[in-house]
């Protein structure tokens, strides 16, 4: 049998209808980071610190990034192929990644005890690749929403194109 990847990215400005469009797919289950869902939509509320703490306890701050990683790892065997998993939004997940790295810089310290910016970016790229790999491995449709930003040239002028609001090499990969 052939394996078909059903991974889609919806990119748009805030409040442009990305989530509304994604909810039109059958049997939605929203991995909700943005807390903007209409009532009654099935979701895993990653915006809720109590939910996050149940998935991945952390003393520093609610660890949404590792909670998602763990949830995706465990969900592979529990999801029905007719489900549409909607990660809403990747942009908020990346903001949370940065906030967690700032709150706990210990994984990124060099031998002098200073934050190694290259290590931060390397770990973030590895994280992004892991999340996309785990989303791709789910046995169902997956939609990831991204906020967008205007692309600019070296002089800061708008190019007329849009890019997903994701930083570094991963932003280039997603685009």
């Amino acid at each position: 049998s052939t394996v078909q990847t059903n991974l889609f990215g919806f990119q748009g400005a805030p409040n442009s209808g990305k989530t509304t469009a994604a909810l039109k797919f059958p049997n939605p289950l929203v991995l909700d980071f943005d807390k903007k869902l209409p009532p009654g939509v099935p979701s895993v509320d990653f915006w809720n610190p109590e939910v996050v703490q149940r998935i991945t306890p952390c003393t520093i701050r609610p660890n949404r990034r590792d909670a998602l990683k763990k949830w995706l790892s465990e969900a592979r065997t529990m999801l029905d192929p007719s489900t549409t998993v909607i990660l809403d939004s990747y942009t908020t997940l990346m903001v949370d990644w940065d906030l967690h790295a700032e709150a706990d810089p210990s994984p990124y310290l060099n031998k002098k005890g200073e934050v190694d910016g290259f290590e931060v970016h390397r770990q973030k790229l590895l994280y992004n690749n892991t999340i996309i790999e785990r989303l791709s491995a789910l046995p169902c449709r997956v939609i990831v929403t991204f906020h967008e930003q205007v692309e600019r040239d070296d002089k800061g002028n708008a190019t007329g194109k849009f890019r997903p609001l994701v930083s570094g090499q991963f932003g280039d990969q997603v685009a």
Side-chain angles (χ1 to χ4, degrees):
S1 82
T2 56
V3 176
Q4 182 175 354
T5 301
N6 290 312
L7 180 60
F8 304 95
F10 286 11
Q11 174 184 315
N15 301 310
S16 63
K18 299 175 297 297
T19 305
T20 301
L23 290 173
K24 304 283 185 207
F25 281 73
N27 304 320
L29 172 63
V30 180
L31 308 181
D32 185 12
F33 285 82
D34 286 350
K35 195 181 179 183
K36 294 182 183 176
L37 291 178
V41 174
S43 64
V44 179
D45 296 331
F46 283 97
W47 58 265
N48 184 335
E50 293 172 6
V51 170
V52 172
Q53 283 293 96
R54 279 195 299 272
I55 298 170
T56 308
C58 183
T59 57
I60 297 167
R61 66 183 307 274
N63 188 347
R64 291 174 176 88
R65 64 184 196 181
D66 290 345
L68 175 64
K69 199 164 126 178
K70 181 178 180 186
W71 189 92
L72 289 172
S73 180
E74 295 171 356
R76 270 190 16 207
T77 59
M78 298 182 291
L79 290 169
D80 184 273
S82 68
T83 302
T84 303
V85 169
I86 302 165
L87 196 165
D88 188 35
S89 74
Y90 211 89
T91 310
T92 303
L93 173 63
M94 290 297 94
V95 167
D96 197 73
W97 197 100
D98 292 337
L99 290 171
H100 199 81
E102 185 177 300
D104 179 17
S106 60
Y108 320 109
L109 300 179
N110 60 24
K111 291 178 182 172
K112 295 179 183 177
E114 301 165 337
V115 173
D116 180 343
F118 290 110
E119 183 61 14
V120 172
H121 292 293
R122 188 181 80 77
Q123 291 295 326
K124 191 172 187 180
L125 181 60
L126 287 172
Y127 176 84
N128 282 309
N129 289 337
T130 298
I131 294 301
I132 294 302
E133 179 183 295
R134 289 186 183 177
L135 288 168
S136 298
L138 294 179
C140 58
R141 269 176 309 282
V142 177
I143 298 171
V144 180
T145 66
F146 297 90
H147 294 95
E148 68 183 10
Q149 63 185 355
V150 175
E151 183 178 86
R152 300 197 177 272
D153 64 19
D154 294 340
K155 296 179 181 176
N157 300 314
T159 65
K161 297 179 182 177
F162 295 91
R163 301 177 39 85
L165 188 56
V166 183
S167 62
Q169 286 180 324
F170 185 71
D172 295 334
Q173 290 173 345
V174 169

